[in-house]
Amino acid sequence: MLLQIQDEIHLLHDERGPVLESLVARTIRNVETTQEEVRLVGLSATLPNFADVATFLRVDPAKGLFSFDNRYVITVNQFNPSKYIDVG
């Protein structure tokens, strides 16, 4: 399985949107023609139309759509990179 992460997915509505849209559309077309499994992940801190973007990314809302409101905040105490990175 391949993984494609699109950070700043809200830029679909920006001047760089057509480039991002064509990358996603080509990936989806390739998946449909080759049946190769690709996981598309779209990330954004500000995405009011997340449901529309999820539809474009062909997300099953029951299984693959995650959104968080302003109460969800990761603090430095919650995430300790040294637990995940071997610095030795």
Side-chain angles (χ1 to χ4, degrees), residues 6 33 36 40 69 72 79 86:
Q6 301 291 338
T33 58
E36 184 177 26
L40 294 174
D69 60 15
Y72 185 79
F79 178 71
D86 182 13

Side-chain angles (χ1 to χ4, degrees), residues 4 6 17-28 40 56:
Q4 184 180 78
Q6 301 291 338
V19 174
L20 182 57
E21 183 177 349
S22 68
L23 288 170
V24 171
R26 286 182 184 189
T27 300
I28 291 171
L40 294 174
F56 173 65

Side-chain angles (χ1 to χ4, degrees), residues 50-69:
F50 61 89
D52 295 333
V53 174
T55 300
F56 173 65
L57 294 176
R58 311 249 170 102
V59 172
D60 177 357
K63 295 193 307 187
L65 178 59
F66 303 94
S67 64
F68 306 97
D69 60 15

Side-chain angles (χ1 to χ4, degrees), residues 5-58:
I5 300 174
Q6 301 291 338
D7 193 14
E8 306 293 337
I9 196 76
H10 61 273
L11 294 179
L12 280 168
H13 189 63
D14 196 78
E15 61 190 32
R16 293 173 282 182
V19 174
L20 182 57
E21 183 177 349
S22 68
L23 288 170
V24 171
R26 286 182 184 189
T27 300
I28 291 171
R29 185 184 65 199
N30 189 41
V31 166
E32 290 172 346
T33 58
T34 66
Q35 299 301 308
E36 184 177 26
E37 292 186 24
V38 177
R39 178 166 293 178
L40 294 174
V41 177
L43 304 173
S44 177
T46 57
L47 190 62
N49 63 333
F50 61 89
D52 295 333
V53 174
T55 300
F56 173 65
L57 294 176
R58 311 249 170 102

Side-chain angles (χ1 to χ4, degrees), residues 74-88:
I74 296 177
T75 65
V76 175
N77 292 335
Q78 290 173 316
F79 178 71
N80 183 354
S82 64
K83 290 170 62 175
Y84 306 101
I85 300 172
D86 182 13
V87 294

